[in-house]
Amino acid sequence: MITITPRTPSPLDRLAPYSAEGMTALESFTFVRHVDGLRYRFERVGERHDRPAYRRTDGQVWCFWGPDDGWHCEIADGLVTAHPLNSDGDELEPPATVWRSLKGDRSYLYDLRPLEPEA
């Protein structure tokens, strides 16, 4: 079971305070699949391990930082389904880089793209 500390998102900003150090966190982002352009949107929903936590808008996948796995995505049963490539996974927010997902015997590459603030 995934435990997330809830937070009320700010509809006015893309960035919102989240840490004792006064840092800011990405409010939302999209994973864009390389092979076909399929997009999955994630929204910030709270914190986990003192870092922002995100849930895919369909509610099936979480993206958060953990002390053992660094930044990763996992499904409700705790199965890790994606990790960033070219990253040590210890950033303060999910790195905007290529991520690899694993689904059974399939593997996909995604770009994590921060969403621009709405005008």
Side-chain angles (χ1 to χ4, degrees), residues 1 3-4 9 13 15 17 25 51 61 65-69 71 78 97 99 105 119:
M1 168 155 279
T3 304
I4 304 293
D13 311 342
L15 302 175
R51 299 193 194 196
V61 180
W65 182 88
D68 296 327
D69 292 309
W71 280 102
T97 187
W99 289 56
D105 62 349

Side-chain angles (χ1 to χ4, degrees), residues 25-40:
L26 194 62
E27 278 297 315
S28 58
F29 59 85
T30 301
F31 278 118
V32 181
R33 193 160 63 188
H34 285 196
V35 68
D36 59 7
L38 181 67
R39 296 172 179 266
Y40 291 110

Side-chain angles (χ1 to χ4, degrees), residues 14 28 41 113-119:
R14 181 171 83 80
S28 58
R41 183 177 174 141
R113 296 184 185 166
L115 291 175
E116 296 300 320
E118 293 181 14

Side-chain angles (χ1 to χ4, degrees), residues 52-108:
Y54 303 86
R55 183 175 54 201
R56 202 166 82 184
T57 54
D58 65 9
Q60 296 179 21
V61 180
W62 291 86
C63 182
F64 57 88
W65 182 88
D68 296 327
D69 292 309
W71 280 102
H72 64 283
C73 295
E74 71 179 52
I75 56 177
D77 65 1
L79 177 66
V80 173
T81 59
H83 280 101
L85 302 178
N86 307 317
S87 166
D88 64 9
D90 201 32
E91 296 86 347
L92 294 176
E93 59 185 28
T97 187
V98 176
W99 289 56
R100 178 180 302 280
S101 75
L102 300 169
K103 292 182 171 186
D105 62 349
R106 295 174 294 167
S107 175
Y108 296 100

